[in-house]
Amino acid sequence: MGKFNRLSSDCTAIIVGKKASIDGSTIIARDEDAHTAINTKKFVVVPSKDYDLTYKSKYTGLEIPVKGHGYRYTATPNGNPSEGDWFEAGINEKNVAMSATETELTNPRVLGHDPLVENGIAEDAMVTLVLPFVNSAREGVQRLGALIEKYGTAETNGIAFSDKDEVWYMETAGGHQWVAEKLPDDAYAICPNIMVIEKIEFGDHDNFMHSEGIRDFVNKYHLNPNPIDFNFRNIFGSQNEADSYYNTPRTWYGQKLFNPSVEQEPTSQNMPFCRKPEKKIAIEDVQYFLSSHYNGTKYDPFGTHSSGDEKDQKKFRSIALDRNQSSCILQIRNDVPANMAAIQWIAFGFYNYSPYVPFYTNIIDTPANYKFAPDKFNMDSAYWMYKLLPVIIEPKYHQFINEVNAYRDDAQSYAVGRLDSVDEKAKTLTGSDLQESLTNENIKTADHITESTTNLIDSLIHQTLLSSKIAFNLGDGL
């Protein structure tokens, strides 16, 4: 893409409305993958401050003046900042969550009329330019949309926003076009690396937003293949053969989990953007989907289904794969006070092995091993600790997976109990006392799960060393 190379890509997202979740939370969640197996990640807090500067992207060369008060927010940037911010996912002090981005494609016909802008806004800059300055999910869409219309975008992306009431999904296309749809409260949506938003209702301002002049643009260049409605996916999307093997199977599997009675083909490009789930969706369900690899089907690359042969197992792009880096579930709860309602669940490394660790976001700092991600392997880094797991487990997957699953279940049970306990303690605190307390509680949570992970690694290494094929005892050759 022009003078710069794509650093992060190939992600999977799921968004859940408050009436579709089991506890009334809004949820936006995403796996961040990369084109290579290693792209170090960390978890940080950016403090509130007054801005009066020119933002310059190290990735695209974009320059934008930034002024005004910025709220405190959490983020999961790259460990190495040499290529820019890449803050990816976080929650600000107003309990607005943002996840950026799902890499998508605009079809060549549209790009001919509205090319991508080489020094426009890209994934590296979106969270930095938007999340500190918005008071609601709707404002997030509006701010990013205005920036894209003015400065253009360097890539085609899907972006999720949420607050305690609303979940919005926004998609960009070409250099300056975009739409956004509010997810129905009782629905969920799966978003792989393909455009998913369908029919736009231009008069319904409560549920849809879009770039100014998008209808005129489509009409002027005769871009709508079915003019009886305005289907964003059909007009702007790629819809090529590769999508049926790289993208749509992930939607198929997610909808298979949450709507098991619906029969669909994994390669179908007509699956709906959102569905009402057949049961309420819990955090554990979101974790399972984001860590999945077509479990229980013949397409599982780990060969867990007896009917799948090697060809089936390699047919579709799995959600859990070697390029996994950082998975975040951004949860805004509605059953606790606002000052403790926002939780950022984080899993580093290969998601099928790593637990999700819950962090309150009304904090002043993050645990030491979560904000340390050097280029070289270091066990003092949470990122590298979790990246070590697949190195040990993958060669002996079927021997180790039951122990790994038990470890992840124990970590989740601990996490759930921790939230109960900390919520209760936090009810008596406010202001800086609450922030300091939640910061310390996050450290305790991270320390406990880090110790559990270290114990798992110790167990797996011992088992591996004691089962070496290159062993020989006195008398073996006689």
Side-chain angles (χ1 to χ4, degrees), residues 18 30 53 173 209 218 222 233 320 369 382 405:
K18 63 183 180 180
R30 167 177 165 270
L53 53 83
M209 288 185 275
V218 169
H222 314 291
R233 182 164 68 185
N369 61 335
N405 286 339

Side-chain angles (χ1 to χ4, degrees), residues 243-393:
D243 288 329
S244 294
Y245 295 88
Y246 195 83
N247 292 316
T248 63
R250 286 178 275 164
T251 298
W252 167 79
Y253 189 70
Q255 294 190 0
K256 178 181 176 67
L257 291 176
F258 305 126
N259 290 88
S261 67
V262 176
E263 294 290 336
Q264 302 176 121
E265 289 298 318
T267 56
S268 171
Q269 296 197 19
N270 295 313
M271 285 179 278
F273 166 46
C274 58
R275 287 191 182 277
K276 181 178 179 178
E278 293 176 16
K279 67 171 187 176
K280 299 284 189 178
I281 296 174
I283 286 292
E284 290 79 11
D285 298 318
V286 175
Q287 293 175 1
Y288 184 88
F289 170 69
L290 292 175
S291 307
S292 66
H293 42 86
Y294 304 115
N295 312 52
T297 78
K298 64 182 181 180
Y299 307 115
D300 186 350
F302 287 108
T304 59
H305 198 278
S306 58
S307 68
D309 58 23
E310 187 174 353
K311 184 177 180 181
D312 287 328
Q313 293 163 13
K314 294 182 178 180
K315 193 171 187 178
F316 300 136
R317 190 269 203 203
S318 175
I319 293 174
L321 78 173
D322 64 325
R323 287 171 284 167
N324 295 160
Q325 307 297 338
S326 170
S327 182
C328 287
I329 303 172
L330 307 178
Q331 179 186 20
I332 311 297
R333 302 179 295 168
N334 279 300
D335 59 350
V336 296
N339 58 9
M340 65 182 79
I343 304 293
Q344 184 161 352
W345 298 77
I346 299 177
F348 285 151
F350 185 62
Y351 315 134
N352 190 45
Y353 307 147
S354 303
Y356 282 82
V357 183
F359 295 107
Y360 292 85
T361 62
N362 184 13
I363 53 176
I364 54 178
D365 202 355
T366 56
N369 61 335
Y370 273 81
K371 59 182 179 181
F372 177 55
D375 289 338
K376 291 184 177 181
F377 174 82
N378 191 317
M379 274 293 285
D380 290 333
S381 163
Y383 173 86
W384 281 113
M385 177 182 67
Y386 290 116
K387 272 292 187 178
L388 178 61
L389 289 177
V391 176
I392 302 171
I393 297 167

Side-chain angles (χ1 to χ4, degrees), residues 169-212:
Y169 196 68
M170 177 184 186
E171 292 184 306
T172 66
H176 305 84
Q177 316 303 319
W178 63 271
V179 297
E181 180 174 351
K182 184 169 79 71
L183 183 72
D185 290 344
D186 62 355
Y188 73 95
I190 306 295
C191 312
N193 303 116
I194 191 173
M195 286 185 185
V196 292
I197 295 177
E198 298 173 276
K199 184 178 179 181
I200 305 299
E201 298 287 354
F202 286 100
D204 185 356
H205 303 297
D206 289 335
N207 297 298
F208 294 91
M209 288 185 275
H210 55 85
S211 51
E212 185 176 355

Side-chain angles (χ1 to χ4, degrees), residues 7 17 32 80 85 117 144 187 217 227 315 327 342 353-354 364 367 369 424 427 460:
L7 294 181
E32 182 194 338
N80 186 335
D85 292 341
V117 179
L144 181 55
F217 170 76
K315 193 171 187 178
S327 182
Y353 307 147
S354 303
I364 54 178
N369 61 335
E424 191 62 33
K427 288 178 181 179
L460 299 181

Side-chain angles (χ1 to χ4, degrees), residues 28-99:
I28 60 174
R30 167 177 165 270
D31 289 344
E32 182 194 338
D33 305 331
H35 281 314
T36 62
I38 299 171
N39 182 41
T40 56
K41 302 296 298 184
K42 57 188 179 181
F43 175 48
V44 302
V45 177
V46 180
S48 62
K49 62 179 179 180
D50 293 322
Y51 291 80
D52 186 5
L53 53 83
T54 297
Y55 173 85
K56 183 171 184 178
S57 167
K58 297 178 182 178
Y59 180 50
T60 68
L62 166 77
E63 293 191 17
I64 293 181
V66 180
K67 292 185 178 183
H69 181 72
Y71 300 127
R72 183 199 70 247
Y73 64 103
T74 57
T76 51
N78 288 352
N80 186 335
S82 63
E83 296 290 346
D85 292 341
W86 300 90
F87 278 174
E88 300 296 334
I91 303 174
N92 73 16
E93 66 184 82
K94 296 297 183 179
N95 288 352
V96 179
M98 179 179 180
S99 178

Side-chain angles (χ1 to χ4, degrees), residues 153-167:
T153 183
E155 48 198 22
T156 302
N157 284 316
I159 307 99
F161 296 91
S162 65
D163 52 38
K164 70 182 181 64
D165 292 316
E166 297 185 344
V167 175

